[in-house]
Amino acid sequence: MSREVLNVGQVRIHSGSVSKEDAMREAADILEAAGAVTSAYFDAMQQREATVSTYMGNELAIPHGTNETKSAILDSALSFVRYDGGIDWDGEHVTFVVGIAGKGDEHLDILSQIALIFSEEDEVARLKAAQTPEELYALLASVKG
């Protein structure tokens, strides 16, 4: 996973739970703080979610904007947040929320790397066992797409 797209400051662990909307807000805020998106990106995420759920299976949701809102994306970046209390994502149990902003087609590579990680039960278990954001980041950085 490329260091430019994800750094340790964009990885967080929360012991509790939040609403789906709050989780999407945090994902957008992290991307905005990284300089990857404008403040309009949260609305773009909500628009996407209104048309199709971004729940992917294996406790993973990947909120992102719509093609029509690409102008809100300044650069490619990821946010990676683990909620140990879980989130009710339209009736699905979500532990991991990965916010994605992709400039051009760069997000397709990012998505394939995330899909690779979450297709392996052992990888998901390792991500759940990580004690700190630094440890979580190291596991993510070790994955080669």
Side-chain angles (χ1 to χ4, degrees):
M1 187 115 3
S2 105
R3 294 201 179 277
E4 305 82 56
V5 173
L6 181 70
N7 66 52
V8 74
Q10 291 154 240
V11 177
R12 297 183 185 163
I13 298 174
H14 297 297
S15 59
S17 180
V18 297
S19 69
K20 178 174 105 169
E21 184 167 321
D22 285 346
M24 287 170 55
R25 166 72 67 195
E26 182 169 20
D29 287 351
I30 292 169
L31 293 172
E32 188 177 353
V37 300
T38 69
S39 58
Y41 200 63
F42 174 66
D43 291 335
M45 283 180 165
Q46 287 186 304
Q47 286 176 34
R48 162 73 66 203
E49 203 65 41
T51 57
V52 62
S53 176
T54 55
Y55 174 72
M56 300 292 160
N58 265 353
E59 301 181 46
L60 170 68
I62 304 181
H64 55 285
T66 62
N67 286 336
E68 297 74 45
T69 55
K70 285 229 181 253
S71 61
I73 299 173
L74 308 172
D75 206 354
S76 295
L78 283 183
S79 63
F80 194 98
V81 185
R82 189 180 83 199
Y83 297 92
D84 293 342
I87 299 167
D88 177 351
W89 204 278
D90 302 324
E92 300 289 352
H93 178 80
V94 166
T95 302
F96 300 94
V97 177
V98 179
I100 292 187
K103 195 79 176 150
D105 287 334
E106 288 177 310
H107 66 292
L108 299 176
D109 290 338
I110 298 167
L111 279 169
S112 67
Q113 288 179 309
I114 297 294
L116 197 67
I117 296 168
F118 280 87
S119 66
E120 298 289 331
E121 299 277 332
D122 291 350
E123 293 288 344
V124 176
R126 276 195 279 279
L127 294 174
K128 288 175 93 165
Q131 298 295 304
T132 64
E134 291 77 15
E135 194 180 331
L136 197 50
Y137 174 76
L139 288 169
L140 293 167
S142 70
V143 173
K144 300 290 177 252

